[in-house]
Amino acid sequence: MDKIIDDKELGRLIVREHARAKRLVFRSKSDAIYVSVPLGVTVSEVEKAIEELRSKLKATKQKVVRPIIDLDYRIDTEFFKLSLVRGARDKFLAHSELGEMKIICPPDADFTDEKLQAWLQKVIEEAVRRNAKIILPPRLYMLSQQHHLPYKSVKINASRGRWGSCSASKAINLSCFLVLLPKHLIDYVLLHELCHTREMNHGDRFWHLLNELTDGKALDLRQELKRHKTAISD
């Protein structure tokens, strides 16, 4: 389970244990600083490392700037499209339906306002999550049936740190931001998690299975996913 550290200067730090990690690794994203740690590392050890790296972490975080959401901001993916347009009313109005969202903005909207940016971010994320809950579970079920890889349950979250996960009890978690990926990468992530219902680690048998299910393209798809950044998940 993730451990959360709230720092007044650096903001939120999300600490995750990784069995293969040999040292602490810090990655700054717009929503938080993600810390990968070896098994058994304590919170106090992480906090000590934070103090030692504070100036560097602060400088790195300042470079991570989320694109401003304004009238030029667009999301145009296969399963979700977003546009902002100027309207005549003095209030914001959000129209959302499956696969598409339009935000009507007042003529005098100040897009440099931090509170407005936070609101827009929240509204868009909620729309993405609603779409993900409709789109992803049926797709996961179909792939599960097709490849005879049953799972116990599926939940949709707003994780930016990972696209998906699968527990030892075969409970699958999926990031709602998956719907902003191309369809073939969505399927790759879903198949990746389904393979974990049979092989819990990333050993040779896991990659052999995933390779069989992706027509021998597992490693290529993995590299493509690493290069891919969605419009709002960074």
Side-chain angles (χ1 to χ4, degrees):
M1 182 177 293
D2 296 344
K3 298 175 182 176
I4 308 297
I5 298 176
D6 288 312
D7 186 275
K8 291 183 178 180
E9 189 174 32
L10 299 173
R12 174 166 293 191
L13 294 96
I14 300 176
V15 183
R16 288 187 178 141
E17 288 187 328
H18 288 275
R20 294 187 178 183
K22 297 181 179 179
R23 59 187 176 86
L24 274 68
V25 177
F26 293 81
R27 293 184 177 87
S28 293
K29 294 192 176 184
S30 57
D31 64 317
I33 296 175
Y34 290 83
V35 191
S36 300
V37 303
L39 299 178
V41 171
T42 65
V43 173
S44 61
E45 289 175 315
V46 175
E47 291 175 339
K48 181 180 179 181
I50 291 171
E51 291 307 316
E52 293 174 351
L53 297 170
R54 179 170 292 277
S55 59
K56 183 178 180 180
L57 291 172
K58 184 178 178 182
T60 302
K61 188 170 180 63
Q62 288 175 344
K63 293 179 181 179
V64 180
V65 180
R66 189 188 298 277
I68 189 170
I69 301 173
D70 58 17
L71 295 172
D72 295 322
Y73 186 89
R74 292 287 184 276
I75 296 177
D76 188 8
T77 62
E78 189 170 354
F79 292 107
F80 186 79
K81 301 182 186 301
L82 167 79
S83 61
L84 287 82
V85 297
R86 194 180 300 280
R89 297 185 178 184
D90 60 355
K91 292 183 179 180
F92 281 87
L93 184 62
H95 291 291
S96 181
E97 56 187 54
L98 182 60
E100 188 170 356
M101 183 179 197
K102 180 178 290 186
I103 301 177
I104 314 299
C105 309
D108 60 347
D110 179 9
F111 293 103
T112 64
D113 183 83
E114 291 185 3
K115 290 183 179 179
L116 173 57
Q117 285 296 307
W119 179 82
L120 288 169
Q121 184 76 22
K122 182 179 179 181
V123 167
I124 295 170
E125 286 186 11
E126 287 176 350
V128 170
R129 187 194 287 261
R130 287 196 299 271
N131 277 265
K133 287 182 175 180
I134 296 171
I135 293 167
L136 297 179
R139 186 67 185 168
L140 181 70
Y141 178 77
M142 186 276 291
L143 292 172
S144 167
Q145 294 294 303
Q146 179 181 340
H147 298 292
H148 307 290
L149 294 170
Y151 57 94
K152 181 180 179 181
S153 62
V154 57
K155 291 184 179 180
I156 307 299
N157 57 42
S159 172
R160 289 188 174 89
R162 61 176 65 181
W163 295 112
S165 64
C166 179
S167 71
S169 62
K170 299 185 180 183
I172 292 177
N173 287 283
L174 300 172
S175 170
C176 63
F177 299 116
L178 272 173
V179 294
L180 303 182
L181 292 176
K183 184 178 179 180
H184 68 284
L185 289 182
I186 294 175
D187 282 355
Y188 167 75
V189 173
L190 299 185
L191 288 170
H192 183 114
E193 302 311 330
L194 286 172
C195 285
H196 279 312
T197 64
R198 186 177 296 174
E199 301 290 340
M200 276 305 297
N201 56 37
H202 289 105
D204 291 340
R205 289 191 301 181
F206 169 85
W207 286 109
H208 179 74
L209 176 60
L210 184 54
N211 215 34
E212 284 186 341
L213 302 186
T214 56
D215 297 323
K217 299 177 181 178
L219 294 180
D220 290 338
L221 291 167
R222 179 191 183 195
Q223 291 303 315
E224 183 180 352
L225 183 64
K226 285 183 177 181
R227 296 191 300 267
H228 201 97
K229 291 187 178 181
T230 69
I232 60 175
S233 69
D234 292 328

